[in-house]
């Protein structure tokens, strides 16, 4: 586990290149190369709330959230961390920050994450339950693992 200072702050467009660097550091272990274009599309056109994690003044992670049109379902989206900072508690900190945002600011009844077989155990450890698997969904060898937040909302 890392200790402070850790800053979770809103994304700004100047963060795009550092976040693409984080994505590339995690490709192909956690992301397929073709997902980079999807990530850029998300950052430029689809994000609602997206956060950057800084540790010791260095960008080390990011992740977002989206809300359904009826405001009843929240989505956890595009979690990426520098490999040197994975497994140190920062991902859990960011995930809890977004869950709290969803629960405090909207009438959310469900929280969903769509991830892969490579990291679904992280979400499982943090209160999500697997509800669906679709083979080769993201790209060949990258399956969709759809998960629901199982904690009482």
């Amino acid at each position: 586990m890392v200790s402070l200072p850790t800053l979770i702050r809103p994304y700004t467009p100047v963060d795009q290149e550092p976040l693409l660097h984080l994505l590339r550091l995690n490709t192909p272990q956690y992301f397929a190369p073709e997902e980079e274009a999807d990530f850029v599309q998300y950052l430029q056109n689809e994000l609602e709330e997206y956060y950057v994690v800084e540790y010791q003044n260095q960008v080390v992670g990011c992740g977002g959230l989206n809300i359904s049109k009826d405001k009843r379902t929240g989505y956890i989206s595009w979690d990426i961390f520098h490999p040197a900072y994975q497994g140190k508690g920062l991902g859990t900190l960011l995930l809890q920050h977004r869950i709290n945002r969803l629960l405090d600011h909207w009438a959310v009844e469900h929280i969903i994450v769509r991830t892969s077989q490579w990291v679904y155990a992280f979400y499982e450890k943090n209160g999500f339950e697997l509800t669906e698997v679709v083979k080769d969904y993201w790209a060949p060898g990258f399956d969709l693992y759809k998960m629901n937040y199982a904690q009482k909302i």
Side-chain angles (χ1 to χ4, degrees):
M1 293 291 221
V2 296
S3 59
L4 296 177
T6 302
L7 171 67
I8 297 175
R9 63 169 175 79
Y11 167 86
T12 65
V14 298
D15 294 314
Q16 181 173 314
E17 282 307 313
L19 300 187
L20 285 171
H21 176 70
L22 292 179
L23 179 71
R24 291 173 189 136
L25 289 173
N26 284 281
T27 304
Q29 184 173 1
Y30 298 114
F31 294 96
E34 50 267 44
E35 289 182 273
E36 185 171 322
D38 295 337
F39 185 50
V40 170
Q41 168 68 20
Y42 177 83
L43 290 175
Q44 293 179 355
N45 301 302
E46 298 169 20
L47 63 88
E48 291 178 39
E49 287 192 21
Y50 203 74
Y51 299 96
V52 172
V53 178
E54 290 184 2
Y55 179 70
Q56 298 180 336
N57 298 315
Q58 195 174 29
V59 172
V60 298
C62 55
L65 62 85
N66 294 79
I67 307 294
S68 63
K69 290 191 188 314
D70 67 5
K71 310 267 189 241
R72 293 172 33 172
T73 303
Y75 300 92
I76 299 297
S77 50
W78 285 104
D79 289 332
I80 308 168
F81 273 84
H82 190 291
Y85 293 89
Q86 294 171 7
K88 299 187 182 308
L90 293 172
T92 299
L93 188 69
L94 178 60
L95 179 60
Q96 195 57 57
H97 174 78
R98 291 175 292 158
I99 289 170
N100 290 342
R101 286 283 303 159
L102 288 166
L103 298 179
D104 290 346
H105 299 282
W106 291 279
V108 168
E109 298 172 6
H110 311 281
I111 300 175
I112 295 171
V113 65
R114 297 178 337 141
T115 189
S116 73
Q117 72 270 33
W118 310 117
V119 292
Y120 86 96
F122 164 78
Y123 295 103
E124 193 172 58
K125 180 177 76 172
N126 284 284
F128 286 79
E129 292 180 346
L130 184 62
T131 60
E132 181 181 7
V133 175
V134 180
K135 188 164 178 47
D136 297 330
Y137 180 85
W138 306 109
F142 291 84
D143 303 340
L144 165 69
Y145 275 52
K146 184 177 179 184
M147 304 179 80
N148 289 336
Y149 190 58
Q151 309 260 339
K152 184 172 176 141
I153 296 180

